[in-house]
């Protein structure tokens, strides 16, 4: 999981995991969320997902949620929310620039 | 009806994976692992897929957390030993493990160096590590014990210098232990090249 520190760009997987846990989810549900939202284009292996969840927890962007039984749920933190909002703004800017040049959209 | 097969794959994880998948294709599903024995029950041919992962550098806590995570995914997980050893109580130091090495004992992580993960076949290839960065990390972890072995053999060569026989022996072992490192480095190099095109 290498998110570009300098430009602030997130990897697609990081961004999707952050989005998935706006409502608390356990590992399997995160995996399904990503598969569903990308219509199967992005299929994450369980080992890679486990590593990504641990990295994001260490960074404080997501955290374990509730006491729960054995199945651990995760939820986005305030910091994680900020990061996701920043990424959305960056992507909007990027698509606006792209639309201006390539056309096809009205960049307002 | 159960059948028992005896096999030993040591560190050849891909071979073990292929063999388990071919057993599943023939209609045999893994139900139990021993040091050498694999117990299978009959199942619908091709119903299950297997992946083998090295976890020998993880602490008992990390290993169990990872196993629990995989089980939450709906997978069945078996422990498997990577080496053959029939002692009943043993203690091993693993200097290559994360955070300054680990001591591994019977009853904790010894003989549980590998996880065999089973999932129901959904027609796609079963891979635990799909992300490039994560795969590089995994192959690095796999090469650490071999780096240590090479370093040890080189050190022994220096100690025995200039006695011909031990020096030749340890030089040979160095070359042998360097092979997995070369394989891992080649895999890492390939992934890094693929990555360059994307970013």
């Amino acid at each position: 999981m290498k998110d570009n520190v300098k430009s602030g760009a997130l990897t697609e997987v990081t961004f999707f995991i952050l989005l998935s846990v706006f409502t608390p989810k356990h590992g399997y549900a995160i995996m399904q969320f990503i598969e569903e939202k990308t219509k199967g284009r992005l299929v994450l292996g369980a080992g890679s997902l486990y590593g990504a969840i641990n990295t994001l927890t260490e960074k404080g962007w997501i955290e374990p949620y509730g006491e729960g039984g054995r199945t651990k749920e995760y939820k986005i933190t305030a910091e994680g929310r900020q990061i996701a909002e920043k990424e959305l703004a960056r992507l909007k800017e990027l698509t606006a620039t792209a639309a201006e040049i390539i056309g096809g959209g009205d960049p307002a | 009806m159960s059948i028992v097969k005896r096999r030993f794959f040591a560190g050849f994880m891909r071979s073990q994976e292929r063999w388990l998948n071919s057993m599943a294709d023939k209609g045999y599903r893994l139900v139990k692992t021993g040091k050498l024995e694999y117990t299978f029950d009959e199942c619908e041919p091709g119903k299950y897929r297997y992946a083998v992962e090295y976890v020998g550098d993880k602490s008992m806590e990390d290993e169990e957390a990872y196993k629990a995570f995989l089980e939450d995914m709906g997978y069945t997980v078996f422990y498997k030993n990577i080496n053959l050893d029939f002692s009943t109580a043993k203690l091993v130091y693993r200097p290559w493990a994360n955070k300054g090495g680990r001591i591994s004992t019977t009853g904790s992580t010894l003989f549980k160096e590998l996880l065999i993960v089973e999932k129901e076949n959904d027609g796609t290839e079963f891979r635990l590590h799909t992300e490039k960065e994560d795969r590089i990390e995994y192959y690095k972890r796999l090469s650490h014990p071999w780096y240590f072995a090479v370093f040890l053999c080189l050190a022994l060569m220096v100690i025995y210098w200039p006695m011909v026989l031990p020096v030749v022996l340890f030089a040979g072992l160095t070359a042998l232990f360097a092979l997995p490192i070369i394989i891992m480095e080649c895999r890492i190099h390939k992934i890094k090249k693929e990555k360059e095109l994307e970013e």
Side-chain angles (χ1 to χ4, degrees):
Chain A
M1 191 64 33
K2 206 165 209 162
D3 297 303
N4 197 327
V5 182
K6 214 166 113 199
S7 69
L10 302 181
T11 63
E12 199 179 8
V13 169
T14 300
F15 198 27
F16 266 118
I17 293 175
L18 289 181
L19 293 175
S20 72
V21 294
F22 267 68
T23 51
K25 277 186 187 59
H26 53 82
Y28 185 65
I30 296 175
M31 199 189 224
Q32 278 191 317
F33 175 92
I34 298 176
E35 238 182 284
E36 225 176 86
K37 295 294 177 194
T38 62
K39 296 183 184 72
R41 176 178 55 84
L42 196 63
V43 179
L44 202 55
S48 289
L49 176 62
Y50 184 76
I53 286 177
N54 281 344
T55 310
L56 294 180
T57 309
E58 270 163 37
K59 281 184 175 177
W61 295 0
I62 67 173
E63 60 187 7
Y65 173 75
E67 297 303 305
R70 246 174 51 94
T71 316
K72 234 186 194 167
E73 283 197 312
Y74 296 88
K75 166 179 142 293
I76 196 159
T77 61
E79 195 188 344
R81 216 172 259 266
Q82 256 180 21
I83 299 278
E85 279 164 15
K86 231 177 93 189
E87 177 69 355
L88 177 62
R90 189 189 68 83
L91 288 174
K92 270 185 179 164
E93 207 184 294
L94 181 66
T95 47
T97 309
E100 241 174 72
I101 293 168
I102 304 170
D106 183 16
Chain B
M1 195 194 74
S2 293
I3 56 163
V4 177
K5 293 253 176 190
R6 293 166 76 91
R7 287 283 190 287
F8 180 59
F9 293 96
F12 294 97
M13 287 179 270
R14 288 187 176 186
S15 308
Q16 183 160 202
E17 234 170 64
R18 271 197 295 273
W19 180 67
L20 288 167
N21 282 328
S22 75
M23 286 301 288
D25 287 339
K26 285 180 208 151
Y28 293 103
R29 172 194 189 177
L30 185 66
V31 285
K32 194 171 163 244
T33 56
K35 291 256 167 66
L36 282 169
E37 301 82 17
Y38 297 77
T39 311
F40 295 90
D41 272 355
E42 279 181 53
C43 71
E44 196 185 302
K47 194 170 178 207
Y48 298 98
R49 291 289 92 178
Y50 294 90
V52 179
E53 171 156 358
Y54 174 71
V55 289
D57 56 346
K58 286 188 195 283
S59 70
M60 187 169 149
E61 205 189 350
D62 288 349
E63 191 170 329
E64 279 173 359
Y66 185 46
K67 184 172 179 273
F69 181 84
L70 292 172
E71 284 168 348
D72 285 344
M73 288 281 169
Y75 303 154
T76 308
V77 185
F78 302 89
Y79 284 122
K80 188 79 188 81
N81 50 306
I82 200 166
N83 297 313
L84 268 192
D85 188 325
F86 292 93
S87 51
T88 48
K90 197 177 173 182
L91 183 146
V92 172
Y93 179 54
R94 292 176 170 156
W96 56 83
N98 51 351
K99 291 169 201 149
R102 295 197 174 280
I103 291 171
S104 187
T105 58
T106 316
S108 73
T109 51
L110 201 60
F111 309 133
K112 293 177 182 173
E113 292 81 9
L114 301 178
L115 293 182
I116 296 177
V117 189
E118 176 200 77
K119 87 160 187 176
E120 275 199 37
N121 194 357
D122 57 7
T124 58
E125 194 191 353
F126 183 24
R127 277 170 54 195
L128 292 169
H129 296 273
T130 49
E131 300 314 292
K132 295 198 172 72
E133 202 64 46
D134 181 48
R135 278 163 61 208
I136 291 173
E137 227 19 70
Y138 180 58
Y139 290 139
K140 274 188 191 160
R141 274 174 50 206
L142 285 185
S143 63
H144 285 165
W146 300 107
Y147 272 110
F148 175 75
V150 163
F151 174 77
L152 195 71
C153 288
L154 289 175
L156 286 166
M157 255 170 86
V158 172
I159 290 168
Y160 280 99
W161 196 268
M163 291 163 69
V164 176
L165 205 67
V167 167
V168 169
L169 176 74
F170 290 122
L173 285 175
T174 303
L176 189 68
F177 295 152
L179 275 176
I181 297 178
I182 295 167
I183 294 172
M184 294 307 150
E185 289 301 329
C186 283
R187 287 184 192 166
I188 291 171
H189 180 73
K190 219 178 120 196
I191 301 169
K192 281 188 175 163
K193 276 197 97 164
E194 283 172 31
K195 256 174 70 108
E196 272 171 25
L197 290 170
E198 283 173 7
E199 278 160 17

